[in-house]
């Protein structure tokens, strides 16, 4: 069975909401990697849509929190970024903070493949290895195949237009062709990103700064506390953390 057949078999009969996570698992099955995650480009921060395991999910959040790492570069360039050895050499020097945190999580290589085409990149498929390794041409081709299917899958999932509309669930089920499971999943993804935006707005009001500076401060505090930006954002909007001028 070739790679395309494995990908097709891997998502056959899988509910729409499970496709991103399932494709991450298929990528791990097909490639010399130990984990995979997928994120959409957000307004300021990527939105994680699925991961094969907890380590992959954490690596995606670390990159989002730092605003740095292979996935950020791949999304910006619209081309694969292959960090085959984060333990030493050029890759380790290019992303020193991320490389250190990746090493602590047991990850030594990250391969980020953009989702989309040459004109528009909507996110990245990120693959994680526990040992340095350079992807062969065939392996990169397989990663691109998975990324292509992932792009189609994510584009078939639409976020609700109005989170306050009492008919949201029905609307979401209608646009996705799915049921309550898909609607609930989409709502959870939107809620996580909304928390970041709400926190940025509150920091702007507390400090009188712009959105970019507020996001930078949120990321800086998360990094200093060895936490994710989502964690800190949640504390800000629940009034357990306040940003004050020194």
């Amino acid at each position: 069975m070739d790679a395309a057949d494995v990908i097709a078999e891997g998502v056959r009969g899988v509910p729409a909401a499970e496709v991103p996570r399932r494709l991450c698992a298929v990528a791990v099955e097909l490639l010399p990697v130990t984990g995979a995650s997928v994120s959409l480009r957000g307004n300021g921060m990527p939105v994680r849509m699925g991961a094969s395991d907890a380590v992959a999910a954490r690596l995606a959040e670390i990159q989002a929190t730092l605003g740095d790492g292979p996935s950020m570069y791949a999304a910006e360039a619209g081309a694969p970024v292959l960090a085959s050895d984060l333990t030493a050499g050029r890759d380790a020097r290019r992303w020193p903070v991320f490389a250190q945190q990746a090493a602590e999580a047991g990850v030594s290589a990250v391969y980020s493949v953009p989702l989309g085409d040459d004109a528009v990149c909507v996110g990245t498929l990120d693959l994680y290895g526990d040992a340095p390794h350079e992807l062969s041409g065939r392996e990169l081709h397989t990663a691109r195949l998975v990324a292509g299917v992932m792009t189609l899958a994510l584009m078939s999932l639409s976020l609700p237009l109005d989170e306050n509309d009492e008919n949201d669930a029905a609307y979401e089920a209608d646009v996705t062709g799915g049921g309550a499971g898909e609607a609930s999943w989409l709502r959870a993804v939107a809620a996580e990103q909304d928390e970041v935006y709400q926190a940025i707005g509150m920091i702007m009001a507390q400090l009188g700064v712009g959105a970019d500076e507020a996001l930078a401060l949120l990321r800086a505090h998360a990094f200093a506390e060895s936490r994710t930006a989502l964690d800190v954002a949640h504390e800000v909007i629940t009034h357990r953390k306040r940003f004050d001028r020194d």
Side-chain angles (χ1 to χ4, degrees):
M1 185 180 295
D2 63 20
D5 291 334
V6 173
I7 295 169
E9 184 63 27
V11 297
R12 183 170 292 118
V14 175
E18 283 293 309
V19 170
R21 185 194 62 79
R22 181 58 192 150
L23 282 172
C24 286
V26 170
V28 174
E29 178 182 348
L30 288 172
L31 293 161
V33 298
T34 55
S37 66
V38 58
S39 300
L40 287 182
R41 297 184 75 179
N43 184 17
M45 283 187 66
V47 183
R48 178 169 54 82
M49 305 296 284
S52 61
D53 55 65
V55 173
R58 175 160 177 73
L59 265 292
E61 292 298 340
I62 287 174
Q63 293 190 80
T65 297
L66 294 175
D68 195 26
S71 71
M72 310 297 286
Y73 280 71
E76 186 66 28
V81 173
L82 310 178
S84 58
D85 187 359
L86 288 170
T87 66
R90 182 190 64 180
D91 295 332
R93 292 193 300 270
R94 189 175 185 185
W95 303 287
V97 177
F98 172 69
Q100 179 182 353
Q101 297 206 15
E104 291 174 358
V107 171
S108 299
V110 177
Y111 318 102
S112 295
V113 183
L115 306 178
D117 54 31
D118 293 339
V120 179
C121 174
V122 298
T124 58
L125 169 66
D126 300 303
L127 308 166
Y128 309 99
D130 61 359
H133 172 75
E134 290 191 14
L135 292 183
S136 67
R138 183 179 182 84
E139 289 166 346
L140 180 57
H141 175 71
T142 298
R144 286 180 179 273
L145 278 178
V146 178
V149 177
M150 187 78 79
T151 302
L152 293 175
L154 290 175
M155 291 302 93
S156 72
L157 298 173
S158 302
L159 293 176
L161 294 176
D162 185 356
E163 284 290 319
N164 297 315
D165 191 333
E166 63 182 1
N167 295 317
D168 274 352
Y171 168 78
E172 291 164 3
D174 180 60
V175 297
T176 62
E182 281 79 0
S184 176
W185 178 81
L186 289 169
R187 188 181 298 278
V189 170
E192 281 193 347
Q193 193 68 2
D194 281 347
E195 287 195 353
V196 174
Y197 294 147
Q198 290 173 38
I200 289 172
M202 292 176 68
I203 295 169
M204 291 170 64
Q206 290 166 7
L207 298 180
V209 299
D212 289 346
E213 186 174 349
L215 175 57
L217 288 167
L218 178 68
R219 282 173 160 156
H221 277 256
F223 173 70
E225 297 171 4
S226 298
R227 304 170 67 199
T228 68
L230 280 174
D231 290 337
V232 176
H234 183 70
E235 288 199 346
V236 172
I237 68 172
T238 55
H239 304 286
R240 287 184 289 164
K241 186 176 186 65
R242 179 181 175 85
F243 284 68
D244 296 307
R245 290 191 178 278
D246 294 333

